[in-house]
Amino acid sequence: MSAQSKETLPPWGNAVAGATGAVLANAIVYPLDIVKTRLQVQVKRKPDESAPRTVDEAHYDSTLDAIQKILADEGLYGLYSGFGGSLIGVASQNFAYFYWYSLVRVLYSSSRRSPQTTSTAVELSLGAVSGALAQVFTIPVSVITTRQQTQPKGDKRGLLDTGKEVVQSDDGWTGLWRGLKASLVLVVNPSITYGAYQRLKDILFPGKVSLRPWEAFVLGAMSKAVATVATQPLIVAKIGLQSRPPPARNGRPFKTFVEVMEYIVQNEGTMGLFKGIAPQILKGVFVQGLLMMIKERMEILFLVLFRYLRKVKAEQLRKVADAAAAKAQQVAPVLLK
């Protein structure tokens, strides 16, 4: 155990492990991502209204209702709209996050004189800094994916075409960074998630280096549920910023996430800020649980691979040293003569 605890992955190793886990986890539960996004962008109709108040003509009453209506109207393909772009975004965002998180954590640990356990406040701060750096570089893919997921039937576009649509809007190139402020505020979500994960791991499994798959899944699910409930209003506001504006606004996009929240409260009440929370939590719990479970396995595979590569390198160096020694012994008698 002591030998194992001394072995750590470099930042890029943690980044690859995290990105791999995130891609596989999101691919498995992607339909839930579509459902929660569409539930979050729709504006609830009043009893005396018949015209749709959202970009999508269909109105969804629940997660199950959304799945049934999407399948009936768009087929199985409808549950995978924007699938490719979403996985690219997930891979890039999680690679960037885990890279910066590992790097920042190593720099922080090396700056401390005594190897004490990192406090919860520090864990949250490290997560927030890492999340902010990741968002700045990866938010354009998130904007495009959100647009793809909310495109109505008959107006489905590919990744590049959707990107052009965003760039050709009134915002221009800056439209690709729509919702950046909300996203920077939302870095508290992964920081709460991973901070809670580390803290729960220390509490429930103290001193344990490698977790079993079910242990990593449970910890990931618990930490993500806490973070989702705390940040749901901001998540809804961010989706509203990045999607097409509702018909009632006559094409006028929202300028800030505060404006989105005010619009939702005026039209749907305070609880409108928590719409789509059921699939959001369900998706988040499964993704986070699967992500951390897969990430833990990937880290072990990387450690085994690095150990093997070091062994191979050591054997090669030994062979070179033995060959040099043998050659030196052959040359020595000649020199003595």
Side-chain angles (χ1 to χ4, degrees):
M1 179 68 73
S2 60
Q4 186 182 11
S5 62
K6 293 180 181 179
E7 284 192 279
T8 57
L9 288 175
W12 68 265
N14 280 293
V16 172
T20 303
V23 168
L24 292 175
N26 278 274
I28 293 171
V29 301
Y30 187 76
L32 281 175
D33 194 39
I34 287 285
V35 170
K36 68 94 181 171
T37 300
R38 295 201 183 183
L39 282 171
Q40 288 168 353
V41 298
Q42 74 176 6
V43 181
K44 194 173 182 179
R45 278 193 298 224
K46 296 179 181 179
D48 58 340
E49 287 183 326
S50 58
R53 304 182 73 192
T54 76
V55 174
D56 200 336
E57 292 184 1
H59 186 83
Y60 312 115
D61 297 319
S62 64
T63 301
L64 184 59
D65 181 57
I67 293 174
Q68 291 174 339
K69 287 180 178 177
I70 292 172
L71 283 173
D73 190 42
E74 304 174 43
L76 187 61
Y77 173 77
L79 291 175
Y80 288 88
S81 296
F83 183 69
S86 177
L87 293 190
I88 292 173
V90 165
S92 59
Q93 185 174 351
N94 280 272
F95 182 91
Y97 178 85
F98 281 107
Y99 178 83
W100 289 114
Y101 182 77
S102 300
L103 188 61
V104 170
R105 209 169 191 274
V106 168
L107 290 174
Y108 175 79
S109 299
S110 61
S111 67
R112 304 182 69 187
R113 295 182 179 179
S114 57
Q116 299 176 351
T117 303
T118 307
S119 66
T120 303
V122 171
E123 288 285 1
L124 293 177
S125 299
L126 294 177
V129 171
S130 307
L133 290 169
Q135 284 293 336
V136 170
F137 291 103
T138 62
I139 195 171
V141 182
S142 175
V143 171
I144 294 172
T145 300
T146 300
R147 286 290 183 95
Q148 283 188 295
Q149 291 178 338
T150 55
Q151 286 168 346
K153 183 181 178 181
D155 193 21
K156 300 291 185 183
R157 305 184 185 185
L159 186 69
L160 294 179
D161 288 336
T162 305
K164 290 178 181 177
E165 177 193 353
V166 175
V167 173
Q168 291 170 359
S169 66
D170 295 338
D171 292 332
W173 284 97
T174 59
L176 292 173
W177 276 266
R178 254 189 168 279
L180 178 60
K181 291 180 181 178
S183 296
L184 291 179
V185 176
L186 274 171
V187 297
V188 297
N189 188 297
S191 67
I192 291 172
T193 300
Y194 296 113
Y197 182 88
Q198 291 293 335
R199 186 58 48 214
L200 288 170
K201 182 179 180 181
D202 292 338
I203 294 173
L204 300 178
F205 306 104
K208 196 166 186 178
V209 178
S210 298
L211 298 178
R212 296 175 182 175
W214 72 267
E215 293 171 339
F217 183 92
V218 170
L219 285 183
M222 291 172 62
S223 58
K224 189 61 179 179
V226 171
T228 300
V229 173
T231 58
Q232 180 67 7
L234 285 173
I235 294 172
V236 173
K238 175 190 170 186
I239 294 296
L241 270 174
Q242 294 178 341
S243 61
R244 292 178 180 178
R249 290 182 60 83
N250 299 317
R252 291 183 298 109
F254 295 105
K255 297 298 182 183
T256 66
F257 66 90
V258 174
E259 186 181 1
V260 178
M261 295 171 77
E262 289 176 347
Y263 182 84
I264 293 172
V265 171
Q266 288 172 2
N267 288 274
E268 305 177 67
T270 305
M271 292 307 296
L273 296 174
F274 291 88
K275 57 186 175 182
I277 193 169
Q280 182 82 47
I281 291 180
L282 191 59
K283 178 228 173 188
V285 164
F286 275 106
V287 165
Q288 197 62 35
L290 289 169
L291 188 159
M292 300 312 295
M293 182 177 71
I294 296 171
K295 180 177 179 289
E296 291 279 347
R297 298 300 98 187
M298 289 295 297
E299 287 177 350
I300 293 174
L301 287 175
F302 273 125
L303 288 173
V304 172
L305 176 62
F306 290 159
R307 194 179 302 157
Y308 172 74
L309 292 176
R310 283 196 297 269
K311 182 179 179 181
V312 171
K313 186 176 181 180
E315 289 180 355
Q316 290 178 340
L317 290 174
R318 182 178 57 77
K319 289 179 180 179
V320 171
D322 291 344
K327 188 173 182 180
Q329 289 178 353
Q330 293 176 354
V331 174
V334 177
L335 294 177
L336 291 174
K337 292 179 180 179

